[in-house]
Amino acid sequence: MNRRFPGYDVLTKRTGPSWNEATRQAVDLRLAVPREPRFFSMAEWAVLDRVSQRIIPQPPGRPPVPIAALIDAKMLRMGAAGTRIEPMPWDGDAWKLALAALEAEAVMRHGQGFAALDDRTADALLTAMQKGEPAGAPWQRVPPGLFFAKRLLPDIVEAYYGHPTAWSEIGFGGPASPRGYVRLDTNRHDPWEAAEAKSEGDLKAYRHNRHVA
Amino acid sequence: MREYSLDDEVDFLIIGTGAGGGTLAGRLAEMGFSVVALDAGAYFRPLDDFASDETEQEKLYWNDRRIVDGGTPLQMGGKNSGKAVGGSMVHFAMVSLRFRPEWFRSRSVLGYGADWPLDWREMWRYYREAELALAISGPVTYPWGPKRPRYPYRAHEINSAGRLLALGAEALGYQWTETPLATVSAPRGKSPPCVYRGFCRFGCSTNAKQSTLNTWIPRALAAGAEIRDLAMAGRIEVKGDRATGVHFHREGAWHFQRARNVVVAGYAVETPRLLLNSATSRHPHGLANRSGLVGKYFMTQSNQAVFGRMRDEVRWYKGPPSFTITEHWNYDDRKDFFGGYCWMAQGPLPIEWGFIQTGARGLWGEALRQDMLNYNHQVGLKMVGETLPDAANTVTLADEVDQYGLRIPRITFSWGENDRKLIGHAISEMTRSLEAIGAEDIFPQREDANHLAGTARMGFTPEDSVVDADCRSWDIPNLWVCDGSVFPTTGGVNPSLTIQAIALRTADRIKAMAGRGEL
Ligand SMILES: Cc1cc2nc3c(=O)[nH]c(=O)nc-3n(C[C@H](O)[C@H](O)[C@H](O)COP(=O)(O)OP(=O)(O)OC[C@H]3O[C@@H](n4cnc5c(N)ncnc54)[C@H](O)[C@@H]3O)c2cc1C
Ligand code: SF4
């Protein structure tokens, strides 16, 4: 249960005046993203999945946002386009190289694959990557600090915070066309926005949020 | 829509339909010229095609292959490049500002950068024309610069984030005002008033936003221009020193459109790329490039920010992101660096806010997810700052190719020392403003940039520039450049109104020259 915005689910507005047809179609597609690798190999996917879980640990009690699946879909769509930063290759290849490098680093340091590491060890390895420490041959075209900051974090953030589950979690109003908003002032919100719990188990906020539509 | 055949030698073939190309297409068509305007992007219908969704609307961005390098490689894509009929303005933030007059003479009056071959008094007239064309909503009196008439539409009411900028500015003793915005505050034609849905930078699905797409493009069509979407120009054909037309890719094949004049308006990366890709044996370094300046002096604007958290609920996702502004440091010269900047209220949507949290603070793990729960309490100020022109910042051709087989651009950029000083000043000023309103957990976002400029600068002689004051290339008299790439300097405000004003002036100049038989 969402403690900050109890009972709020942005999807209850899906058929109301805050969502247009283009939005419904786009979000429906995202919710239906295939939960298996299409761009990545099984081995790459296992590392990616574990990385995603450590970058954004998801709370129990609700279906997790399928971060790895969303990144897989994105790379399938645009992995060979966009902007590449020297010396990294195009995004899809960069991901594959970085996941392989991370796996090799885990094996070298701990004698087992990244997906098998316990939380603390995995986080320590990711921290080392963020700081740009790993230096072996596998990292040559994907400098660890650069990849972590420019590809790994943004892609995971985009997958998670582009999902309705995350919008509900942070109390974002979500899609808002054609209705938009009326109350713009400090501490004001429309009936179709999430109410924030002012204390643990705030029933007023809960009742409000159950009626958001 | 009127359609021309490939064999019709149209008066003007315009490549790109954004702030520069779209505006010019509209005016030239209204003046009676035959016009075809190509755009590599799609012709979207906002009411049917636009979702309220950060990810889905990536379809508006230029995401073809590009390479970035340099000391501080720029992030390309949604933040600075559009690919759609209407150009980047389809997802721009609508901030519509005039230059400070001295910026047109920054070399001789302020001691840095380069002078423009344009007179600010003349530009003032064209700014007004652009503001009327887009029905800008703004304040009754604008606090900075020479007097200007009141804005065509009344200012919008202000959201909480905008109110907090005002409180901070007042505490610092600086003036602030409602930002002049290109979204209507009352009905206009087919545009309903803005409903404050806050997805402006992802396309406006209600058509309240006044962009090229729903202002100049319909005017161009009504006056008989053809807008050809999903048409990628690959090479400009020249015979001797005259352009004869353009090779473009559409529906799986290359075609050639004949034209008496060709106008390049693809923005500061695609414009030099096309000129360079069109090299011939007579023009071995690319078209209009005898000066060697095509692709040089590439500029961006500093877009750093400072964020903090309020006890109050701010909910900055509502409405256009930048309801209020202070241009104080564009007009106060007591600084130890060149150039100026303004700052505006902010309203990043969740993904962008996540990028800032990870990018500026390196947050991840439980720390990130917990901090994101404060989304509705965040407040922020973001600068638009002047970046000095530097010949070492460039757009060149890489050896790799894109989906059409065309060589892709390499964008090389580093902040200069003056830029860093200016950014440092702005960050400390914005920090003071947030402190003054009692924001907590204040942090700076030290790396961010937005608008592009330069790479085909206008100037006074064939040696110091690519085009003259009329946007006409020095080397090839029937080849023109009309977009943000003609800027010799960027100034400390968002560029689109200036690009439009230049396009309006160019149209008038073309009409005058045509009348005298000088085309
Ligand atoms: C997110 C965002 C927010 C912004 N906010 C503001 C703001 O608030 N205020 C402001 O003043 N400015 C803002 N800007 C900047 C402003 O939108 C641009 O400066 C302006 O649109 C540039 O005009 P332009 O004509 O040079 O290029 P664009 O408007 O980018 O148009 C170029 C067009 O050319 C097309 N093109 C390029 N190459 C080819 C080719 N080879 N063949 C065919 N077509 C081609 C592209 O598809 C594109 O549609 C913003 C920009 C972005 C991205
Ligand atoms: S806030 Fe206004 S301008 Fe922005 S997208 Fe919504 S209706 Fe359009």
Side-chain angles (χ1 to χ4, degrees), chain B residues 57-73:
Chain B
Q57 293 299 111
E58 282 171 9
K59 63 191 176 195
L60 298 178
Y61 308 159
W62 190 282
N63 273 326
D64 291 3
R65 287 182 161 201
R66 287 169 166 175
I67 299 173
V68 291
D69 63 9
T72 42

mmCIF file of all heavy atoms in Angstrom, chain B residues 57-73:
data_model
loop_
_atom_site.group_PDB
_atom_site.id
_atom_site.type_symbol
_atom_site.label_atom_id
_atom_site.label_comp_id
_atom_site.label_asym_id
_atom_site.label_seq_id
_atom_site.Cartn_x
_atom_site.Cartn_y
_atom_site.Cartn_z
ATOM 1 N N GLN B 57 5.933 10.752 -26.574
ATOM 2 C CA GLN B 57 6.146 11.955 -27.372
ATOM 3 C C GLN B 57 7.592 12.107 -27.863
ATOM 4 O O GLN B 57 7.917 13.087 -28.520
ATOM 5 C CB GLN B 57 5.676 13.182 -26.603
ATOM 6 C CG GLN B 57 4.158 13.212 -26.390
ATOM 7 C CD GLN B 57 3.375 13.255 -27.684
ATOM 8 O OE1 GLN B 57 2.704 12.297 -28.044
ATOM 9 N NE2 GLN B 57 3.495 14.344 -28.428
ATOM 10 N N GLU B 58 8.423 11.113 -27.555
ATOM 11 C CA GLU B 58 9.769 11.112 -28.146
ATOM 12 C C GLU B 58 9.691 11.126 -29.661
ATOM 13 O O GLU B 58 10.670 11.442 -30.347
ATOM 14 C CB GLU B 58 10.568 9.884 -27.676
ATOM 15 C CG GLU B 58 11.115 10.035 -26.277
ATOM 16 C CD GLU B 58 11.723 8.743 -25.731
ATOM 17 O OE1 GLU B 58 11.863 7.779 -26.496
ATOM 18 O OE2 GLU B 58 12.039 8.721 -24.521
ATOM 19 N N LYS B 59 8.514 10.807 -30.198
ATOM 20 C CA LYS B 59 8.345 10.836 -31.653
ATOM 21 C C LYS B 59 8.530 12.239 -32.224
ATOM 22 O O LYS B 59 8.654 12.405 -33.433
ATOM 23 C CB LYS B 59 6.983 10.266 -32.039
ATOM 24 C CG LYS B 59 5.777 11.047 -31.522
ATOM 25 C CD LYS B 59 4.486 10.250 -31.741
ATOM 26 C CE LYS B 59 3.287 10.987 -31.143
ATOM 27 N NZ LYS B 59 2.099 10.128 -31.010
ATOM 28 N N LEU B 60 8.551 13.254 -31.362
ATOM 29 C CA LEU B 60 8.752 14.628 -31.840
ATOM 30 C C LEU B 60 10.220 15.011 -31.948
ATOM 31 O O LEU B 60 10.550 16.082 -32.450
ATOM 32 C CB LEU B 60 8.072 15.619 -30.887
ATOM 33 C CG LEU B 60 6.564 15.510 -30.745
ATOM 34 C CD1 LEU B 60 6.058 16.529 -29.735
ATOM 35 C CD2 LEU B 60 5.891 15.742 -32.099
ATOM 36 N N TYR B 61 11.126 14.171 -31.440
ATOM 37 C CA TYR B 61 12.529 14.558 -31.351
ATOM 38 C C TYR B 61 13.339 14.100 -32.552
ATOM 39 O O TYR B 61 13.020 13.121 -33.190
ATOM 40 C CB TYR B 61 13.187 13.949 -30.092
ATOM 41 C CG TYR B 61 12.452 14.212 -28.814
ATOM 42 C CD1 TYR B 61 12.649 13.391 -27.703
ATOM 43 C CD2 TYR B 61 11.553 15.267 -28.698
ATOM 44 C CE1 TYR B 61 11.981 13.617 -26.508
ATOM 45 C CE2 TYR B 61 10.880 15.500 -27.507
ATOM 46 C CZ TYR B 61 11.097 14.666 -26.425
ATOM 47 O OH TYR B 61 10.431 14.883 -25.252
ATOM 48 N N TRP B 62 14.439 14.810 -32.778
ATOM 49 C CA TRP B 62 15.399 14.375 -33.786
ATOM 50 C C TRP B 62 16.265 13.311 -33.131
ATOM 51 O O TRP B 62 17.141 13.615 -32.334
ATOM 52 C CB TRP B 62 16.252 15.547 -34.269
ATOM 53 C CG TRP B 62 17.070 15.152 -35.457
ATOM 54 C CD1 TRP B 62 18.217 14.421 -35.437
ATOM 55 C CD2 TRP B 62 16.783 15.427 -36.828
ATOM 56 N NE1 TRP B 62 18.655 14.224 -36.730
ATOM 57 C CE2 TRP B 62 17.810 14.829 -37.604
ATOM 58 C CE3 TRP B 62 15.765 16.121 -37.500
ATOM 59 C CZ2 TRP B 62 17.842 14.910 -38.998
ATOM 60 C CZ3 TRP B 62 15.801 16.194 -38.884
ATOM 61 C CH2 TRP B 62 16.819 15.597 -39.629
ATOM 62 N N ASN B 63 16.008 12.058 -33.456
ATOM 63 C CA ASN B 63 16.764 10.968 -32.856
ATOM 64 C C ASN B 63 17.557 10.178 -33.883
ATOM 65 O O ASN B 63 17.925 9.035 -33.652
ATOM 66 C CB ASN B 63 15.844 10.043 -32.052
ATOM 67 C CG ASN B 63 15.678 10.541 -30.623
ATOM 68 O OD1 ASN B 63 16.598 11.103 -30.055
ATOM 69 N ND2 ASN B 63 14.505 10.355 -30.058
ATOM 70 N N ASP B 64 17.805 10.780 -35.045
ATOM 71 C CA ASP B 64 18.702 10.138 -36.011
ATOM 72 C C ASP B 64 20.110 10.149 -35.424
ATOM 73 O O ASP B 64 20.403 10.890 -34.501
ATOM 74 C CB ASP B 64 18.698 10.901 -37.342
ATOM 75 C CG ASP B 64 17.369 10.776 -38.072
ATOM 76 O OD1 ASP B 64 16.448 10.158 -37.515
ATOM 77 O OD2 ASP B 64 17.250 11.321 -39.182
ATOM 78 N N ARG B 65 20.973 9.360 -36.040
ATOM 79 C CA ARG B 65 22.322 9.194 -35.492
ATOM 80 C C ARG B 65 23.141 10.488 -35.440
ATOM 81 O O ARG B 65 23.203 11.230 -36.429
ATOM 82 C CB ARG B 65 23.094 8.188 -36.344
ATOM 83 C CG ARG B 65 22.630 6.773 -36.150
ATOM 84 C CD ARG B 65 23.463 5.839 -36.988
ATOM 85 N NE ARG B 65 23.329 4.481 -36.460
ATOM 86 C CZ ARG B 65 24.201 3.521 -36.699
ATOM 87 N NH1 ARG B 65 25.265 3.760 -37.443
ATOM 88 N NH2 ARG B 65 24.012 2.326 -36.195
ATOM 89 N N ARG B 66 23.745 10.696 -34.291
ATOM 90 C CA ARG B 66 24.685 11.804 -34.105
ATOM 91 C C ARG B 66 25.764 11.353 -33.135
ATOM 92 O O ARG B 66 25.508 10.508 -32.275
ATOM 93 C CB ARG B 66 23.972 13.016 -33.500
ATOM 94 C CG ARG B 66 23.055 13.735 -34.473
ATOM 95 C CD ARG B 66 22.184 14.741 -33.758
ATOM 96 N NE ARG B 66 21.541 15.653 -34.695
ATOM 97 C CZ ARG B 66 20.656 16.575 -34.341
ATOM 98 N NH1 ARG B 66 20.306 16.705 -33.073
ATOM 99 N NH2 ARG B 66 20.121 17.375 -35.232
ATOM 100 N N ILE B 67 26.945 11.958 -33.274
ATOM 101 C CA ILE B 67 28.039 11.647 -32.349
ATOM 102 C C ILE B 67 28.380 12.914 -31.579
ATOM 103 O O ILE B 67 28.442 13.997 -32.168
ATOM 104 C CB ILE B 67 29.285 11.165 -33.114
ATOM 105 C CG1 ILE B 67 28.958 9.892 -33.893
ATOM 106 C CG2 ILE B 67 30.447 10.927 -32.153
ATOM 107 C CD1 ILE B 67 30.074 9.439 -34.816
ATOM 108 N N VAL B 68 28.569 12.796 -30.272
ATOM 109 C CA VAL B 68 29.013 13.963 -29.496
ATOM 110 C C VAL B 68 30.365 13.664 -28.857
ATOM 111 O O VAL B 68 30.644 12.545 -28.434
ATOM 112 C CB VAL B 68 27.999 14.354 -28.393
ATOM 113 C CG1 VAL B 68 26.726 14.897 -29.023
ATOM 114 C CG2 VAL B 68 27.690 13.210 -27.451
ATOM 115 N N ASP B 69 31.211 14.699 -28.826
ATOM 116 C CA ASP B 69 32.482 14.579 -28.109
ATOM 117 C C ASP B 69 32.902 15.956 -27.623
ATOM 118 O O ASP B 69 32.074 16.865 -27.539
ATOM 119 C CB ASP B 69 33.555 13.895 -28.988
ATOM 120 C CG ASP B 69 33.911 14.698 -30.235
ATOM 121 O OD1 ASP B 69 33.478 15.859 -30.352
ATOM 122 O OD2 ASP B 69 34.627 14.162 -31.100
ATOM 123 N N GLY B 70 34.174 16.108 -27.283
ATOM 124 C CA GLY B 70 34.650 17.375 -26.736
ATOM 125 C C GLY B 70 34.817 17.271 -25.231
ATOM 126 O O GLY B 70 34.584 16.214 -24.631
ATOM 127 N N GLY B 71 35.225 18.380 -24.605
ATOM 128 C CA GLY B 71 35.479 18.380 -23.168
ATOM 129 C C GLY B 71 34.221 18.113 -22.361
ATOM 130 O O GLY B 71 34.257 17.431 -21.334
ATOM 131 N N THR B 72 33.103 18.651 -22.805
ATOM 132 C CA THR B 72 31.815 18.426 -22.130
ATOM 133 C C THR B 72 30.791 18.115 -23.216
ATOM 134 O O THR B 72 30.054 18.997 -23.651
ATOM 135 C CB THR B 72 31.371 19.679 -21.340
ATOM 136 O OG1 THR B 72 31.639 20.850 -22.135
ATOM 137 C CG2 THR B 72 32.107 19.803 -20.039
ATOM 138 N N PRO B 73 30.758 16.849 -23.655
ATOM 139 C CA PRO B 73 29.866 16.487 -24.768
ATOM 140 C C PRO B 73 28.419 16.859 -24.446
ATOM 141 O O PRO B 73 27.960 16.685 -23.321
ATOM 142 C CB PRO B 73 30.023 14.973 -24.863
ATOM 143 C CG PRO B 73 31.297 14.640 -24.158
ATOM 144 C CD PRO B 73 31.476 15.692 -23.103
#
